[in-house]
Amino acid sequence: MTLTSPTPTAPVKRAPAPKSAGPARPSRFRMGAGQQLKGGPFAYLALAVVGFGSLLPLYWTLVAASRTQDEVLASTPPFLPGGKLVENLQTAWEQANLGKAIVNSIIVSSSITAATLFFCTLAGYAFAKMRFRGRGWLMTAVIATLTIPPQLSVVPLFMMMSGLGWGGQLESVIFPTLVSAFGVFFMRQYLIEALPYELIEAAKIDGANNFRIVVSVVLPVARPAMMVLGMLTFVQAWNDFFWPYLALNQQNPTLQVALGQLSASYTPDQSIVMAGALISTLPLLVVFVVFGKKIVGGIMSGAVKG
């Protein structure tokens, strides 16, 4: 028996590596972790113009509220605040009974905001993550209500509130707006992306019922969207004039209805009207200052996934 040596195999030739063209140039549009885009001079100019345009009406309200009507209506209007601000604020407060109006507006706006957040979050969760017959048709019907002008429902709504004995009462303003179609659609769209099915299934495996799932899983996830919806709802309810003007009376008004009384005379004093408008704006500014960072922080935390 003879031994044969293995046949030598030819070495495999590898393709030459491409020549390096040097270090890659960093792209000005490439973003790394934790980096932020730096704004140029045009960005700061645009922000300055937008900020000036946003603050100009508020500044003019302050100027007009601190002047007399002759100074406000002069051919050359003043550009600096005057010395009659306190006097005009006191006059507007007494003429329109703004103390009671502010309390009524706080009650109405807070009640509508709390109810809207509660009902819209529950409905949005049901439309986003639950499976039931007719879900698509119901959601279509909810969205379709956004196309109906609110003026068309004024007459039947007024008759309904009168039949319930709520004419001139705050209930006639609160109950028709306890839930909004926009709020349901907004929360549904947010929860579709932000709430994974895995969290719900894990809660069910742990023995949680639907109420526990909503409290422990849905509400923490929906908190950023709820803060945004709450701010939008509060501002809209605070500034609403049309329906409260029809449903309430001068003895029990909201703030916007009371301000309408200042300009209801034949020759209204514009400085007094502006003083009342300044009073109605201050609570909204306080809300934005107190909750502004929380709302922005909630939006940013909800936008980060990982």
Side-chain angles (χ1 to χ4, degrees):
M1 178 172 151
T2 59
L3 298 177
T4 59
S5 59
T7 305
T9 57
V12 179
K13 295 182 178 181
R14 296 182 179 179
K19 296 182 179 180
S20 177
R25 299 178 59 184
S27 174
R28 59 182 298 184
F29 300 103
R30 186 175 300 171
M31 292 288 293
Q35 294 182 358
Q36 295 181 354
L37 288 174
K38 295 182 179 180
F42 292 102
Y44 288 105
L45 179 61
L47 291 175
V49 172
V50 172
F52 177 78
S54 302
L55 294 177
L56 184 59
L58 181 61
Y59 178 74
W60 169 246
T61 302
L62 175 63
V63 172
S66 61
R67 297 280 184 168
T68 62
Q69 178 167 262
D70 295 336
E71 294 174 338
V72 173
L73 300 179
S75 57
T76 303
F79 294 98
L80 296 176
K84 295 181 65 63
L85 179 60
V86 177
E87 180 180 350
N88 290 339
L89 291 177
Q90 184 177 1
T91 302
W93 187 276
E94 296 174 353
Q95 288 185 2
N97 193 14
L98 294 184
K100 184 176 183 180
I102 290 177
V103 173
N104 289 342
S105 291
I106 292 176
I107 295 174
V108 169
S109 301
S110 302
S111 302
I112 293 176
T113 301
T116 299
L117 292 179
F118 178 74
F119 292 117
C120 290
T121 302
L122 293 182
Y125 166 65
F127 281 117
K129 298 300 177 180
M130 289 186 175
R131 296 290 184 264
F132 54 90
R133 184 176 299 178
R135 184 183 67 165
W137 290 103
L138 287 176
M139 193 66 223
T140 302
V142 171
I143 297 176
T145 59
L146 295 174
T147 63
I148 302 176
Q151 291 79 6
L152 296 180
S153 61
V154 166
V155 175
L157 190 59
F158 186 84
M159 296 175 62
M160 186 184 301
M161 295 298 106
S162 299
L164 293 173
W166 290 346
Q169 304 298 322
L170 297 181
E171 291 86 347
S172 61
V173 180
I174 295 174
F175 277 86
T177 53
L178 289 180
V179 64
S180 65
F182 169 77
V184 174
F185 177 75
F186 179 79
M187 295 305 301
R188 172 187 177 270
Q189 295 302 112
Y190 180 83
L191 291 176
I192 286 178
E193 298 293 337
L195 181 61
Y197 281 103
E198 290 77 9
L199 288 179
I200 302 175
E201 295 298 331
K204 290 181 178 179
I205 293 175
D206 291 339
N209 54 16
N210 289 330
F211 178 78
R212 185 66 178 177
I213 291 174
V214 170
V215 174
S216 302
V217 178
V218 178
L219 293 183
V221 174
R223 188 175 301 159
M226 292 176 64
M227 297 187 71
V228 176
L229 179 61
M231 176 61 67
L232 296 177
T233 304
F234 185 86
V235 173
Q236 181 180 3
W238 184 272
N239 294 328
D240 191 14
F241 172 78
F242 180 67
W243 174 244
Y245 180 77
L246 299 176
L248 302 178
N249 49 44
Q250 296 182 359
Q251 287 72 31
N252 193 33
T254 57
L255 186 56
Q256 306 305 323
V257 177
L259 292 179
Q261 301 176 11
L262 293 176
S263 57
S265 60
Y266 185 74
T267 56
D269 193 334
Q270 297 299 325
S271 60
I272 304 300
V273 174
M274 288 298 180
L278 185 63
I279 293 176
S280 68
T281 307
L282 291 179
L284 294 181
L285 294 178
V286 172
V287 171
F288 275 107
V289 170
V290 173
F291 298 102
K293 289 185 178 180
K294 294 184 179 180
I295 293 175
V296 175
I299 295 174
M300 297 305 297
S301 64
V304 177
K305 294 183 180 181

Coordinates of all heavy atoms in Angstrom, one line a residue, residues 58-120:
L58 N -50.3 92.1 22.9 CA -50.4 92.2 24.3 C -49.8 93.5 24.8 O -50.4 94.1 25.8 CB -49.6 91.0 24.9 CG -49.6 90.9 26.4 CD1 -51.0 90.7 27.0 CD2 -48.8 89.7 26.9
Y59 N -48.7 93.9 24.2 CA -48.1 95.2 24.6 C -49.1 96.4 24.3 O -49.2 97.3 25.2 CB -46.8 95.4 23.9 CG -46.1 96.7 24.3 CD1 -45.5 96.9 25.5 CD2 -46.1 97.8 23.4 CE1 -45.0 98.2 25.8 CE2 -45.6 99.0 23.7 CZ -45.0 99.2 24.9 OH -44.4 100.4 25.2
W60 N -49.8 96.3 23.2 CA -50.7 97.4 22.8 C -51.9 97.4 23.8 O -52.4 98.4 24.2 CB -51.2 97.3 21.4 CG -52.3 98.2 21.1 CD1 -53.6 97.8 20.8 CD2 -52.3 99.6 21.1 NE1 -54.4 99.0 20.6 CE2 -53.6 100.1 20.8 CE3 -51.3 100.6 21.4 CZ2 -53.9 101.4 20.7 CZ3 -51.6 101.9 21.3 CH2 -52.9 102.3 20.9
T61 N -52.3 96.2 24.2 CA -53.4 96.1 25.2 C -53.0 96.8 26.5 O -53.8 97.5 27.1 CB -53.8 94.7 25.4 OG1 -54.2 94.0 24.2 CG2 -54.9 94.5 26.4
L62 N -51.7 96.6 26.9 CA -51.2 97.2 28.1 C -51.2 98.7 28.0 O -51.5 99.5 28.9 CB -49.9 96.6 28.5 CG -49.1 97.3 29.7 CD1 -49.9 97.1 30.9 CD2 -47.7 96.7 29.8
V63 N -50.7 99.2 26.8 CA -50.6 100.6 26.6 C -52.0 101.3 26.6 O -52.2 102.3 27.2 CB -49.9 100.9 25.2 CG1 -49.9 102.4 24.9 CG2 -48.4 100.4 25.3
A64 N -52.9 100.7 25.8 CA -54.3 101.2 25.8 C -55.0 101.2 27.1 O -55.8 102.1 27.4 CB -55.1 100.5 24.7
A65 N -54.7 100.1 27.9 CA -55.4 100.1 29.2 C -54.9 101.1 30.2 O -55.5 101.3 31.2 CB -55.2 98.6 29.8
S66 N -53.7 101.6 29.9 CA -53.1 102.6 30.9 C -53.2 104.0 30.4 O -52.6 104.9 30.9 CB -51.6 102.3 31.1 OG -50.9 102.4 29.8
R67 N -54.1 104.3 29.3 CA -54.3 105.6 28.8 C -55.8 105.9 28.9 O -56.6 105.1 29.2 CB -53.8 105.6 27.3 CG -52.3 105.4 27.2 CD -51.5 106.7 27.5 NE -50.1 106.5 27.2 CZ -49.2 107.4 27.2 NH1 -49.6 108.7 27.4 NH2 -47.9 107.2 27.0
T68 N -56.1 107.2 28.5 CA -57.5 107.6 28.4 C -57.9 107.3 26.9 O -57.2 107.0 26.0 CB -57.6 109.1 28.6 OG1 -56.8 109.8 27.7 CG2 -57.1 109.4 30.0
Q69 N -59.3 107.4 26.7 CA -59.8 107.1 25.4 C -59.3 108.1 24.4 O -59.1 107.7 23.2 CB -61.3 107.0 25.5 CG -62.0 106.7 24.1 CD -63.4 106.4 24.2 OE1 -63.8 105.2 24.2 NE2 -64.3 107.4 24.3
D70 N -59.2 109.4 24.8 CA -58.8 110.4 23.8 C -57.3 110.1 23.4 O -57.0 110.3 22.2 CB -58.8 111.8 24.5 CG -60.3 112.2 24.8 OD1 -61.2 111.6 24.1 OD2 -60.5 113.0 25.7
E71 N -56.5 109.6 24.2 CA -55.1 109.3 23.9 C -55.1 108.0 23.0 O -54.3 108.0 22.0 CB -54.3 109.1 25.1 CG -54.1 110.3 25.9 CD -53.4 110.0 27.2 OE1 -53.4 108.9 27.7 OE2 -52.8 111.0 27.8
V72 N -56.0 107.1 23.2 CA -56.0 105.9 22.4 C -56.5 106.1 21.0 O -55.9 105.6 20.0 CB -56.8 104.8 23.1 CG1 -57.0 103.6 22.2 CG2 -56.2 104.4 24.4
L73 N -57.5 107.0 20.9 CA -58.1 107.3 19.6 C -57.4 108.5 18.9 O -57.9 108.9 17.9 CB -59.6 107.6 19.7 CG -60.4 106.4 20.3 CD1 -61.8 106.8 20.5 CD2 -60.2 105.2 19.5
A74 N -56.3 109.0 19.4 CA -55.6 110.1 18.8 C -55.0 109.7 17.4 O -54.8 108.5 17.1 CB -54.5 110.6 19.7
S75 N -54.8 110.7 16.6 CA -54.2 110.4 15.3 C -52.8 109.8 15.4 O -52.4 109.0 14.5 CB -54.2 111.7 14.4 OG -53.4 112.7 15.1
T76 N -52.1 110.2 16.4 CA -50.8 109.6 16.7 C -50.9 108.8 18.0 O -50.8 109.4 19.1 CB -49.7 110.6 16.8 OG1 -49.6 111.4 15.6 CG2 -48.3 110.0 17.0
P77 N -51.2 107.5 18.0 CA -51.4 106.7 19.2 C -50.1 106.7 20.0 O -49.0 106.8 19.5 CB -51.8 105.4 18.7 CG -51.2 105.3 17.3 CD -51.2 106.6 16.8
P78 N -50.3 106.5 21.3 CA -49.1 106.4 22.2 C -48.4 105.1 22.0 O -49.0 104.1 21.7 CB -49.7 106.6 23.6 CG -51.1 106.2 23.5 CD -51.5 106.5 22.1
F79 N -47.1 105.1 22.3 CA -46.3 103.8 22.2 C -45.8 103.4 23.6 O -45.2 102.3 23.7 CB -45.1 104.0 21.3 CG -45.6 104.3 19.9 CD1 -45.7 105.5 19.3 CD2 -45.9 103.2 19.0 CE1 -46.1 105.8 18.0 CE2 -46.3 103.4 17.7 CZ -46.4 104.7 17.2
L80 N -46.0 104.2 24.6 CA -45.5 103.9 26.0 C -46.7 103.8 26.9 O -47.7 104.6 26.7 CB -44.5 104.9 26.5 CG -43.2 104.9 25.7 CD1 -42.3 106.0 26.2 CD2 -42.5 103.6 25.7
P81 N -46.7 103.0 27.9 CA -47.8 102.9 28.9 C -47.9 104.2 29.7 O -46.9 105.0 29.9 CB -47.4 101.8 29.8 CG -46.4 101.0 29.1 CD -45.7 101.9 28.2
G82 N -49.1 104.5 30.1 CA -49.4 105.7 30.8 C -49.6 105.5 32.3 O -49.1 104.4 32.8
G83 N -50.3 106.4 33.0 CA -50.4 106.2 34.4 C -51.8 106.0 34.9 O -52.0 106.1 36.1
K84 N -52.7 105.6 34.0 CA -54.1 105.3 34.5 C -54.4 103.8 34.5 O -55.6 103.5 34.4 CB -55.0 106.1 33.5 CG -54.9 107.6 33.6 CD -55.9 108.2 32.7 CE -57.3 108.0 33.0 NZ -57.7 108.6 34.4
L85 N -53.4 103.0 34.6 CA -53.7 101.5 34.5 C -54.5 101.1 35.7 O -55.5 100.4 35.5 CB -52.4 100.7 34.4 CG -52.5 99.2 34.4 CD1 -53.2 98.8 33.2 CD2 -51.1 98.6 34.4
V86 N -54.1 101.4 36.9 CA -54.9 100.9 38.1 C -56.3 101.5 38.1 O -57.2 100.7 38.4 CB -54.1 101.4 39.3 CG1 -54.9 101.0 40.6 CG2 -52.7 100.8 39.4
E87 N -56.5 102.7 37.7 CA -57.8 103.3 37.7 C -58.7 102.6 36.6 O -59.9 102.3 36.9 CB -57.7 104.8 37.4 CG -59.0 105.5 37.3 CD -58.9 107.0 37.0 OE1 -57.7 107.5 37.0 OE2 -59.9 107.7 36.8
N88 N -58.1 102.4 35.5 CA -58.9 101.7 34.4 C -59.3 100.3 34.8 O -60.4 99.8 34.5 CB -58.2 101.7 33.1 CG -58.1 103.1 32.5 OD1 -58.9 104.0 32.9 ND2 -57.2 103.4 31.6
L89 N -58.3 99.6 35.4 CA -58.6 98.2 35.9 C -59.7 98.2 36.9 O -60.6 97.3 36.9 CB -57.3 97.6 36.4 CG -56.2 97.3 35.4 CD1 -55.0 96.7 36.2 CD2 -56.7 96.3 34.4
Q90 N -59.7 99.1 37.8 CA -60.7 99.2 38.9 C -62.1 99.5 38.2 O -63.1 98.9 38.6 CB -60.3 100.2 39.9 CG -61.3 100.3 41.1 CD -60.9 101.3 42.2 OE1 -59.8 101.9 42.0 NE2 -61.6 101.4 43.2
T91 N -62.1 100.4 37.3 CA -63.4 100.8 36.6 C -63.9 99.6 35.9 O -65.2 99.3 35.9 CB -63.2 101.9 35.7 OG1 -62.6 103.1 36.4 CG2 -64.5 102.3 35.0
A92 N -63.1 98.9 35.1 CA -63.6 97.7 34.4 C -64.1 96.6 35.4 O -65.0 95.9 35.1 CB -62.5 97.2 33.5
W93 N -63.4 96.4 36.5 CA -63.7 95.4 37.4 C -65.1 95.7 38.0 O -65.9 94.8 38.2 CB -62.7 95.4 38.5 CG -62.8 94.3 39.5 CD1 -63.7 94.3 40.6 CD2 -62.2 93.0 39.5 NE1 -63.6 93.1 41.3 CE2 -62.7 92.3 40.7 CE3 -61.3 92.4 38.7 CZ2 -62.2 91.0 41.0 CZ3 -60.8 91.1 39.0 CH2 -61.3 90.5 40.1
E94 N -65.4 97.0 38.3 CA -66.7 97.3 38.9 C -67.8 97.3 37.9 O -68.9 96.9 38.2 CB -66.6 98.7 39.6 CG -65.6 98.7 40.8 CD -65.4 100.1 41.3 OE1 -65.9 101.0 40.7 OE2 -64.7 100.2 42.4
Q95 N -67.6 97.8 36.7 CA -68.7 97.9 35.7 C -69.1 96.6 35.2 O -70.3 96.4 35.0 CB -68.2 98.8 34.5 CG -68.0 100.3 34.8 CD -67.7 101.1 33.5 OE1 -67.6 100.5 32.4 NE2 -67.5 102.4 33.7
A96 N -68.3 95.6 35.0 CA -68.6 94.4 34.4 C -68.7 93.2 35.4 O -68.9 92.1 35.0 CB -67.6 94.0 33.3
N97 N -68.6 93.5 36.7 CA -68.6 92.5 37.8 C -67.7 91.4 37.4 O -68.0 90.2 37.4 CB -70.1 92.0 37.9 CG -70.2 91.1 39.2 OD1 -69.4 91.2 40.1 ND2 -71.3 90.4 39.2
L98 N -66.4 91.7 37.2 CA -65.4 90.7 36.7 C -65.0 89.7 37.8 O -64.5 88.6 37.5 CB -64.2 91.5 36.2 CG -64.4 92.3 35.0 CD1 -63.0 92.9 34.5 CD2 -65.0 91.5 33.8
G99 N -65.2 90.1 39.1 CA -64.9 89.1 40.1 C -65.7 87.8 40.0 O -65.2 86.7 40.0
K100 N -67.0 88.0 39.9 CA -67.9 86.8 39.7 C -67.7 86.1 38.4 O -67.7 84.9 38.2 CB -69.4 87.2 39.9 CG -70.3 86.0 39.8 CD -71.7 86.5 40.0 CE -72.7 85.2 40.1 NZ -74.1 85.6 40.3
A101 N -67.4 86.9 37.3 CA -67.2 86.4 36.0 C -65.9 85.5 36.0 O -65.9 84.5 35.3 CB -67.1 87.5 35.0
I102 N -64.8 85.9 36.7 CA -63.6 85.1 36.7 C -63.8 83.8 37.4 O -63.4 82.8 37.0 CB -62.5 86.0 37.4 CG1 -62.1 87.1 36.4 CG2 -61.3 85.1 37.7 CD1 -61.0 88.0 37.0
V103 N -64.6 83.9 38.5 CA -64.9 82.6 39.3 C -65.7 81.7 38.4 O -65.4 80.5 38.3 CB -65.6 82.9 40.6 CG1 -66.1 81.6 41.2 CG2 -64.7 83.7 41.5
N104 N -66.7 82.2 37.7 CA -67.5 81.3 36.8 C -66.6 80.8 35.6 O -66.8 79.6 35.3 CB -68.6 82.1 36.2 CG -69.7 82.5 37.2 OD1 -69.8 81.8 38.3 ND2 -70.5 83.4 36.9
S105 N -65.7 81.6 35.1 CA -64.9 81.1 34.0 C -63.9 80.0 34.5 O -63.6 79.0 33.8 CB -64.1 82.2 33.4 OG -64.9 83.1 32.7
I106 N -63.4 80.1 35.7 CA -62.5 79.1 36.3 C -63.3 77.8 36.5 O -62.8 76.7 36.2 CB -61.9 79.6 37.6 CG1 -60.9 80.8 37.3 CG2 -61.2 78.5 38.3 CD1 -60.4 81.4 38.6
I107 N -64.5 77.9 37.0 CA -65.3 76.7 37.2 C -65.6 76.0 35.9 O -65.5 74.8 35.7 CB -66.6 77.1 38.0 CG1 -66.3 77.6 39.4 CG2 -67.6 75.9 38.0 CD1 -67.5 78.1 40.1
V108 N -66.1 76.8 34.9 CA -66.4 76.2 33.6 C -65.2 75.6 32.9 O -65.3 74.5 32.4 CB -67.1 77.3 32.7 CG1 -67.3 76.8 31.3 CG2 -68.5 77.7 33.3
S109 N -64.1 76.4 32.8 CA -63.0 75.9 32.1 C -62.3 74.7 32.8 O -62.0 73.7 32.1 CB -61.9 77.0 32.0 OG -62.5 78.1 31.3
S110 N -62.3 74.7 34.1 CA -61.7 73.6 34.8 C -62.5 72.3 34.7 O -62.0 71.2 34.5 CB -61.5 73.9 36.3 OG -60.6 75.0 36.4
S111 N -63.9 72.5 34.8 CA -64.8 71.3 34.7 C -64.7 70.7 33.2 O -64.6 69.5 33.1 CB -66.2 71.7 35.0 OG -66.3 72.3 36.3
I112 N -64.7 71.6 32.2 CA -64.7 71.1 30.9 C -63.4 70.4 30.6 O -63.3 69.4 29.9 CB -64.9 72.3 29.9 CG1 -66.4 72.8 30.0 CG2 -64.7 71.8 28.5 CD1 -66.7 74.0 29.2
T113 N -62.3 71.0 31.1 CA -61.0 70.4 30.8 C -60.8 69.0 31.5 O -60.4 68.1 30.9 CB -59.9 71.3 31.3 OG1 -60.0 72.6 30.7 CG2 -58.5 70.8 31.1
A114 N -61.2 68.9 32.8 CA -61.1 67.6 33.5 C -62.0 66.6 32.8 O -61.5 65.4 32.6 CB -61.5 67.8 34.9
A115 N -63.2 66.9 32.4 CA -64.1 65.9 31.8 C -63.6 65.5 30.4 O -63.7 64.4 30.1 CB -65.5 66.5 31.7
T116 N -63.1 66.5 29.7 CA -62.6 66.2 28.3 C -61.4 65.3 28.4 O -61.3 64.3 27.6 CB -62.2 67.5 27.6 OG1 -63.4 68.3 27.5 CG2 -61.6 67.2 26.2
L117 N -60.5 65.5 29.3 CA -59.3 64.6 29.5 C -59.7 63.2 29.9 O -59.2 62.2 29.4 CB -58.3 65.2 30.5 CG -57.6 66.5 30.1 CD1 -56.7 66.9 31.2 CD2 -56.8 66.3 28.8
F118 N -60.7 63.1 30.8 CA -61.1 61.8 31.2 C -61.8 61.0 30.1 O -61.4 59.9 29.8 CB -62.0 61.9 32.5 CG -62.6 60.7 33.0 CD1 -61.8 59.8 33.7 CD2 -63.9 60.3 32.8 CE1 -62.3 58.6 34.2 CE2 -64.4 59.1 33.3 CZ -63.6 58.3 34.0
F119 N -62.9 61.6 29.6 CA -63.7 60.9 28.6 C -62.9 60.6 27.3 O -63.0 59.6 26.6 CB -65.0 61.6 28.3 CG -65.9 61.6 29.4 CD1 -66.3 62.8 30.1 CD2 -66.4 60.4 29.9 CE1 -67.2 62.8 31.1 CE2 -67.3 60.4 31.0 CZ -67.7 61.5 31.6
C120 N -62.1 61.6 26.8 CA -61.4 61.5 25.6 C -60.3 60.5 25.7 O -60.0 59.8 24.7 CB -60.9 62.9 25.1 SG -62.2 64.0 24.6

